[in-house]
Amino acid sequence: MGVIDSAWFYEKLSERGSSLRDMARFMGLDPSAVSRMLNGERKMSAEEQDQIADYIGVPLDEVAAHRRGDLAGFAEKKQAGYESAGANPGELDEPPVKMFTEDDVIYKDGKRWMELDDGTLLEVHPAWGCMKGTLTIMPGVDLTAPADPDWGKVYDDD
């Protein structure tokens, strides 16, 4: 099992004035299962992680960091932060083309449409927006960074 920061979880319960049994009841689990989970004898599922974050009132990434015993959170320790190519560092560049948003959707004849710059209507694909809310990317996460820089390496550089 991974190293879990048990003391942090028990401290948060204490700050909230709750017990492990209260949290187990909230999660719909047996108190012994929650105890084993917080002591590192049982893995914590993603759903349980979400429930714990809700119960103790802390951000999900904080629970995830203490779940793994990695207080750096999701960011890789050696990864440089994102630097914008724009004039003001830290500000995102404007996209090269206008992107449609939900505010641009026109509902007409039971269909969804978006108006182009020249005034013509473009029917929105039925799958547009279907994934909204299904994925949360934590602040500071670079999805373009390699998960393992040595992946696919078949020989040493020496």
Side-chain angles (χ1 to χ4, degrees):
M1 295 289 148
V3 178
I4 187 168
D5 187 1
S6 300
W8 181 84
F9 286 97
Y10 285 108
E11 180 183 315
K12 291 297 175 187
L13 284 172
S14 176
E15 287 174 8
R16 192 177 188 278
S18 320
S19 68
L20 184 133
R21 287 186 179 280
D22 295 333
M23 187 167 73
R25 193 174 309 113
F26 173 82
M27 297 173 69
L29 295 173
D30 187 76
S32 66
V34 175
S35 175
R36 289 193 320 272
M37 177 175 55
L38 295 183
N39 290 323
E41 299 167 10
R42 173 184 171 277
K43 285 188 177 184
M44 182 186 301
S45 73
E47 183 179 342
E48 291 166 343
Q49 176 179 278
D50 294 349
Q51 290 175 323
I52 290 172
D54 287 343
Y55 185 75
I56 61 178
V58 298
L60 179 60
D61 59 336
E62 195 171 339
V63 173
H66 289 280
R67 167 190 178 186
R68 291 188 315 269
D70 177 15
L71 301 182
F74 287 108
E76 294 175 305
K77 295 175 183 161
K78 297 179 184 176
Q79 179 177 332
Y82 173 75
E83 292 295 326
S84 172
N88 298 324
E91 289 185 13
L92 295 176
D93 297 332
E94 287 295 318
V97 295
K98 179 183 181 281
M99 304 299 288
F100 288 118
T101 66
E102 285 184 49
D103 295 333
D104 298 320
V105 175
I106 300 167
Y107 296 91
K108 181 178 173 184
D109 302 326
K111 295 183 180 179
R112 299 180 304 170
W113 304 85
M114 291 191 181
E115 187 175 358
L116 300 177
D117 291 335
D118 64 3
T120 59
L121 290 180
L122 175 69
E123 186 177 354
V124 177
H125 191 279
W128 187 80
C130 70
M131 297 296 292
K132 181 181 178 186
T134 60
L135 180 68
T136 302
I137 301 170
M138 294 300 175
V141 174
D142 181 0
L143 297 178
T144 63
D148 181 4
D150 292 331
W151 183 86
K153 189 174 183 180
V154 293
Y155 58 88
D156 289 329
D157 293 332
D158 299 337

